[in-house]
Amino acid sequence: MNLRLMSVHAHPDDESSKGAATLAKYAAEGVEVLVVTCTGGERGDVLNPAMDRPGVREDLAAIRRVEMAEARRILGVRQHFLGFVDSGLPGPGEPLPEGCFALASLEEAAGRLVGLMRSFRPHVVVTYDETGGYPHPDHIRTHQVTVAAFDAAGEAGSHPEAGSPWRPLKLYYQGGLSRPWFRALHDAMTARGMDSGMREVLAGLPAAGLEITTRVPCAEYFATRDRALLAHATQIDPNAGFMLHDRDIEREVWPTEDYHLARSHVDVDVDVDIDVAIPEDDLFAGVRRPQRTTAAADAAACPGCG
């Protein structure tokens, strides 16, 4: 079976900061991987001081497309812009800008993604949970659009203009950069006499988080992930934030990228109580072999799946 994975994100650079090692791993194994970027990041900031120079802010949209192309090349994946405009991050009480992604019709936005799902025909789709991972309006809208498209893509009566139905088999939410991840790295680094730089982050994170059902081993692709991140030079300061923790320690204490299985049309052996059960180690668990789907109608709506 020629496996296909679609990862849906809000802005250029999100694909490299959330699950990038997983994408690189599957691409290297021969899985077809498509990153969908809902907006062009036009209203983003320049977060790397070395890139904050004349002309960069004025041409940010074009620069971010070039950065995205290089990150895509490094990860070994395909990439498609869905064509919406970045909403920015308005302050409290400030309105969203007219014409932005967060204000786009859910029907229209999901319809665009349905068309892409039906042409690419992913078996697995990955996006953010309902919080967006953090409360950026584009991340929350990305969740809403992806879930709506996941549900509609296999329905013949939904968006008939978008092509023949195709039912993706599994939907996952990103579970990375969690409180347990920060805690594990912080504890391991401080135990070695190193300043983790994570104490303030930990203090601001909620105790509860997304239940993790799936841990994909991908430590050998962390370096690829980092190269892809640094390709987004306007967004990533190589001397700050995520780039500072010790990579050898990360490989030792947290060699996976983590996910929450939100929906599945194949039988899976997952117990979300990870204290007593080992979670999945493969986003394609239950897809790689012939499976009975959850309803006979799924097979009719999704020829070739499973």
Side-chain angles (χ1 to χ4, degrees):
M1 178 191 295
N2 193 18
L3 297 171
R4 293 177 294 276
L5 170 64
M6 175 182 284
S7 188
V8 187
H9 292 278
H11 312 106
D13 84 271
D14 287 327
E15 84 298 326
S16 295
S17 60
K18 303 166 188 66
T22 300
L23 301 185
K25 168 190 169 73
Y26 282 122
E29 292 175 354
V31 174
E32 292 184 51
V33 179
L34 176 63
V35 169
V36 180
T37 313
C38 292
T39 81
E42 300 88 349
R43 289 191 171 94
D45 204 349
V46 177
L47 302 177
N48 179 2
M51 290 294 293
D52 196 0
R53 52 182 188 252
V56 172
R57 291 178 184 273
E58 294 78 3
D59 203 24
L60 187 60
I63 291 171
R64 295 196 72 176
R65 283 184 173 262
V66 172
E67 293 174 345
M68 181 70 251
E70 178 61 8
R72 178 210 63 76
R73 184 195 66 77
I74 291 167
L75 294 174
V77 304
R78 295 164 55 187
Q79 187 267 341
H80 178 88
F81 282 102
L82 204 57
F84 291 96
V85 176
D86 187 352
S87 304
L89 191 57
E94 293 182 4
L96 288 162
E98 186 177 349
C100 72
F101 178 49
L103 294 179
S105 157
L106 182 59
E107 182 77 4
E108 176 195 354
R112 291 193 199 181
L113 189 54
V114 164
L116 203 54
M117 286 183 179
R118 289 175 177 173
S119 61
F120 180 64
R121 307 200 305 170
H123 299 97
V124 172
V125 176
V126 182
T127 193
Y128 319 129
D129 68 11
E130 60 274 9
T131 70
Y134 80 108
H136 190 296
D138 286 340
H139 283 246
I140 294 169
R141 199 55 163 173
T142 296
H143 161 80
Q144 295 166 344
V145 167
T146 307
V147 171
F150 182 90
D151 290 340
E155 301 297 330
S158 184
H159 301 283
E161 77 290 348
S164 299
W166 172 266
R167 188 184 300 280
L169 295 178
K170 300 175 84 175
L171 174 66
Y172 286 94
Y173 297 155
Q174 299 276 355
L177 302 181
S178 63
R179 183 182 184 86
W181 182 87
F182 279 104
R183 171 57 66 186
L185 265 67
H186 171 76
D187 289 348
M189 292 173 70
T190 54
R192 292 161 173 79
M194 304 167 65
D195 179 8
S196 76
M198 296 178 178
R199 194 177 303 277
E200 185 175 336
V201 175
L202 276 166
L205 288 173
L210 197 63
E211 289 182 298
I212 299 302
T213 64
T214 310
R215 300 187 187 277
V216 178
C218 52
E220 65 269 37
Y221 293 97
F222 286 173
T224 305
R225 170 204 67 190
D226 291 347
R227 291 198 304 273
L229 262 173
L230 291 171
H232 292 282
T234 61
Q235 305 303 302
I236 304 298
D237 182 350
N239 301 307
F242 180 82
M243 302 310 300
L244 294 183
H245 68 266
D246 186 281
R247 267 40 184 180
D248 289 335
I249 291 177
E250 182 187 13
R251 291 183 185 93
E252 176 187 338
V253 303
W254 208 285
T256 65
E257 289 182 334
D258 305 333
Y259 302 88
H260 172 82
L261 178 60
R263 302 191 186 179
S264 179
H265 295 297
V266 296
D267 294 333
V268 292
D269 297 318
V270 172
D271 189 334
V272 296
D273 184 355
I274 60 174
D275 291 332
V276 298
I278 298 173
E280 292 179 321
D281 62 2
D282 180 12
L283 298 181
F284 293 95
V287 179
R288 293 183 184 273
R289 61 186 183 276
Q291 287 280 315
R292 176 182 62 79
T293 56
T294 54
D298 288 354
C302 181
C305 288

